Amino acid sequence: QVQLVESGGGSVQAGGSLRLSCVGYGYIVSRKCMKWFRQAPGKEREGVAIIDSDGSTSYADSVKGRFTISRDNAKNTLYLQMNSLKPEDTAMYYCAAKSLCWSSDYNYWGRGTQVTVSS
């Protein structure tokens, strides 16, 4: 059974930093296609950052230059380093993973970790 467990959320002031973690249980993080999403109250879920099987990454324009997605294969963990946080970054953050990279569907989801940024 696959489980993704996020942690690292919290409350910070604007300009601060947080690092989110997503540990895979029953799922090998290395060379997989994974993504961080976020959803703010009353808003649609949006993709934040992607890491592909070859390690290539891409980011939403709203976080480019501030957020970094990475993974530690030894710890089987996906990360999202968030710097220069803004109040508009406030949301529940989720990690998601594909069972097959060629699929368009993210099959596995964590329960999320809350990030709150105050001005």
Side-chain angles (χ1 to χ4, degrees):
Q1 183 177 356
V2 173
Q3 275 191 308
L4 301 176
V5 180
E6 304 98 334
S7 63
S11 296
V12 296
Q13 289 192 325
S17 298
L18 285 172
R19 188 178 76 160
L20 306 184
S21 300
C22 172
V23 180
Y25 296 94
Y27 183 87
I28 306 299
V29 169
S30 64
R31 302 193 67 78
K32 294 288 189 178
C33 298
M34 301 186 72
K35 190 170 184 176
W36 285 97
F37 291 84
R38 68 184 180 187
Q39 187 165 21
K43 294 189 176 181
E44 291 189 357
R45 185 175 63 203
E46 64 169 333
V48 174
I50 296 172
I51 187 165
D52 286 331
S53 57
D54 62 358
S56 60
T57 59
S58 61
Y59 300 90
D61 287 343
S62 58
V63 307
K64 203 172 293 183
R66 300 188 298 121
F67 290 12
T68 303
I69 188 172
S70 63
R71 56 187 166 209
D72 185 329
N73 295 337
K75 295 182 178 180
N76 205 40
T77 300
L78 179 75
Y79 297 104
L80 184 68
Q81 177 67 45
M82 305 186 297
N83 299 328
S84 301
L85 283 161
K86 305 175 180 180
E88 52 263 42
D89 295 319
T90 295
M92 185 72 80
Y93 284 72
Y94 302 89
C95 69
K98 294 183 179 182
S99 56
L100 295 170
C101 281
W102 54 259
S103 171
S104 60
D105 296 329
Y106 285 87
N107 309 92
Y108 309 114
W109 291 79
R111 292 192 172 188
T113 185
Q114 178 68 39
V115 172
T116 303
V117 185
S118 58
S119 57

